[in-house]
Amino acid sequence: MRHSIKETDSQALLALVGSRVNTGKARMEFLIWSSKTRNSNTFLLCAAVCVCTCLFIFGPIGRSLSQFGQRTEGEERLLLTMRDEPATAFTFTEHLQSSQERHSHRLSVLRGVTPDDVRMEPFPHLVITNALPTQLYERLSSHFPSDESIYRTSSGLTGPVRWINNYRYSMDTSLLKSQLWKEFINFHTSQAFFAQAAHVFAWGIARFRPDLLLLASESNLTVPELSTATRKSAKSNLLTGVEVVLNSEVRTRGSVRGPHHDKLDEIFAALLYFRRPSDNSIGGSFQVYRCKGNCTKVANIPALKRKLGLFPLGRHEQFDPRTIELMSEVAYRANTLVMFLNSPRSVHAVSPRNPTKHSRRYVNINAGMRAANWLVDEQSCLNIKGRQSGCHMSNLKSSSL
């Protein structure tokens, strides 16, 4: 069953926050800062728009900032701004190009994707089959790095290849020789792609990533206007990256990663699968989980994890299996894209793989925050009230997570 934003909801949002089309240029206003007005007529018009905008803000965002006891300093700043500076219009203003121009980049995995394609439950994610045009995908697939080259660049080893059972290896993409792959990576680490992703996940950002809204507001920018940089250059508060990844051969049936959410400085991740035509292995699906009640995380204590039937090492599995349930699975298929907005609610896993000599291949397109002062608060997202209204912020450094 397809869970997406209803057409009537989209129309209501546009009616609340304002939209217009002018000579092929569209502008959608939705939760960030606009400049202060000086002209009185402009002020009245802006105030009218602001009233509508605040009706929306004090729904999902306002509830998320008020239901969970004492607010943090950052939350107080947001609420005071909306209360005391209505003409400043705390709006998420996205300056869109025409629909055709915006979604037509030939390399984009989000080509033609809109916010209506996002499945909001149990967390914002989307699934796109045949994400890339067939010829483009086949050209990329034909130049996908060999398993051995990924092994050597990931491990730094030069001797005989000795695979760890069902293990994640990734490659430094700067070593890729293919010009097409270089163009693909350059686009998906660009500000243009980040802006496209921000547009697609706008609803989810409003509910579950208030820290991203605050980062934009402090820069007096819209979310799509935030500058980005690759993780190597790190000259921006937003860092983007593309990894070429494989999960190695399986000798003993098991999962490469159990139920978890990604580190909270990550904003989104997009996984594009490159399954070989000859791969007849079983398993390796992307699993989407939902909290039954209040999700409970398990301390990283091997003995406790073994007692619960969990993998005992590291961050492999984070959640008590009694508090979550599997909602859906996305099969590991060639040219299939799974993309999700990361938050404490984004609990996902990889289904167990049967013994096989085949590797599980994909690219991981991602964006995250560098040294963010404000991150989403886990408990507000994981408890029942948080799932109904959204997340609030916690005054934590991302490096501490």
Side-chain angles (χ1 to χ4, degrees):
M1 181 177 178
R2 182 172 180 266
H3 300 278
S4 65
I5 299 171
K6 296 178 181 179
E7 182 179 357
T8 54
D9 294 335
S10 299
Q11 291 173 346
L13 170 64
L14 293 176
L16 281 171
V17 301
S19 66
R20 61 179 177 273
V21 177
N22 183 19
T23 63
K25 303 291 184 180
R27 178 183 176 186
M28 182 176 72
E29 297 190 350
F30 184 68
L31 291 177
I32 277 197
W33 310 93
S34 66
S35 61
K36 293 185 177 180
T37 58
R38 293 178 173 83
N39 180 278
S40 59
N41 291 332
T42 307
F43 175 87
L44 292 175
L45 177 60
C46 183
V49 172
C50 184
V51 169
C52 294
T53 304
C54 286
L55 289 175
F56 175 77
I57 291 170
F58 283 105
I61 295 297
R63 286 193 300 271
S64 69
L65 297 179
S66 62
Q67 285 187 344
F68 303 102
Q70 187 173 2
R71 291 186 287 267
T72 66
E73 179 184 349
E75 294 167 350
E76 292 289 356
R77 288 178 56 196
L78 298 184
L79 291 176
L80 287 173
T81 298
M82 288 185 285
R83 186 194 69 187
D84 297 337
E85 300 183 43
T88 306
F90 184 71
T91 58
F92 184 169
T93 306
E94 183 168 5
H95 299 279
L96 303 179
Q97 296 175 335
S98 69
S99 178
Q100 180 180 4
E101 185 179 347
R102 179 174 179 77
H103 300 296
S104 64
H105 195 287
R106 66 187 183 89
L107 298 178
S108 179
V109 296
L110 293 178
R111 182 176 180 176
V113 177
T114 73
D116 284 332
D117 295 311
V118 175
R119 308 174 186 186
M120 290 296 289
E121 297 297 334
F123 56 84
H125 67 287
L126 58 83
V127 179
I128 305 296
T129 58
N130 299 317
L132 296 176
T134 301
Q135 289 186 338
L136 173 59
Y137 171 81
E138 290 177 348
R139 287 177 62 199
L140 288 169
S141 183
S142 67
H143 290 92
F144 199 95
S146 68
D147 287 9
E148 181 176 347
S149 65
I150 296 176
Y151 170 85
R152 297 202 182 284
T153 58
S154 179
S155 66
L157 300 176
T158 57
V161 175
R162 292 187 174 91
W163 295 110
I164 299 174
N165 176 65
N166 200 12
Y167 188 76
R168 184 186 191 275
Y169 295 85
S170 63
M171 183 177 190
D172 183 348
T173 54
S174 67
L175 300 176
L176 293 176
K177 305 298 184 183
S178 164
Q179 183 59 37
L180 180 61
W181 268 105
K182 289 179 180 179
E183 292 178 11
F184 180 85
I185 292 166
N186 286 341
F187 173 72
H188 288 96
T189 54
S190 69
Q191 197 276 335
F193 179 73
F194 177 83
Q196 191 176 14
H199 165 65
V200 169
F201 284 100
W203 280 82
I205 290 171
R207 289 182 63 190
F208 302 115
R209 293 310 300 242
D211 50 348
L212 186 58
L213 299 180
L214 182 63
L215 177 64
S217 72
E218 290 179 338
S219 304
N220 203 30
L221 295 171
T222 70
V223 167
E225 290 171 341
L226 285 169
S227 63
T228 62
T230 60
R231 295 187 184 276
K232 287 204 168 217
S233 60
K235 295 179 180 178
S236 170
N237 284 325
L238 292 178
L239 305 179
T240 56
V242 175
E243 294 180 282
V244 176
V245 184
L246 70 77
N247 302 142
S248 61
E249 63 182 44
V250 181
R251 294 186 291 275
T252 303
R253 185 179 187 273
S255 170
V256 70
R257 192 74 196 269
H260 67 286
H261 65 66
D262 294 350
K263 291 183 178 180
L264 296 181
D265 53 0
E266 178 185 276
I267 299 167
F268 66 74
L271 311 178
L272 179 63
Y273 294 137
F274 282 83
R275 183 170 185 155
R276 291 185 176 93
S278 60
D279 185 352
N280 60 355
S281 62
I282 298 174
S285 298
F286 181 90
Q287 297 181 311
V288 176
Y289 282 86
R290 182 182 75 87
C291 295
K292 292 180 181 178
N294 291 341
C295 268
T296 304
K297 299 189 78 173
V298 176
N300 191 24
I301 302 172
L304 176 60
K305 287 190 170 184
R306 288 192 187 95
K307 185 177 180 180
L308 293 172
L310 302 179
F311 190 79
L313 300 179
R315 292 166 55 87
H316 186 276
E317 291 173 290
Q318 299 175 338
F319 288 90
D320 186 331
R322 297 168 296 186
T323 66
I324 59 175
E325 60 181 337
L326 180 65
M327 292 295 293
S328 63
E329 291 189 321
V330 182
Y332 169 56
R333 290 196 182 102
N335 203 13
T336 294
L337 178 78
V338 181
M339 186 171 184
F340 61 92
L341 183 73
N342 187 48
S343 79
R345 280 189 59 181
S346 303
V347 183
H348 61 283
V350 179
S351 69
R353 298 166 66 208
N354 287 354
T356 179
K357 288 291 185 181
H358 292 287
S359 59
R360 179 176 179 266
R361 308 188 307 169
Y362 62 95
V363 294
N364 178 5
I365 303 166
N366 54 76
M369 289 185 176
R370 179 177 63 84
N373 290 318
W374 304 92
L375 291 172
V376 290
D377 178 71
E378 275 196 287
Q379 198 54 44
S380 72
C381 286
L382 292 177
N383 65 25
I384 294 174
K385 289 182 178 179
R387 294 202 308 279
Q388 293 171 344
S389 60
C391 307
H392 71 223
M393 291 177 292
S394 178
N395 188 7
L396 296 172
K397 287 285 187 181
S398 62
S399 59
S400 67
L401 295 176

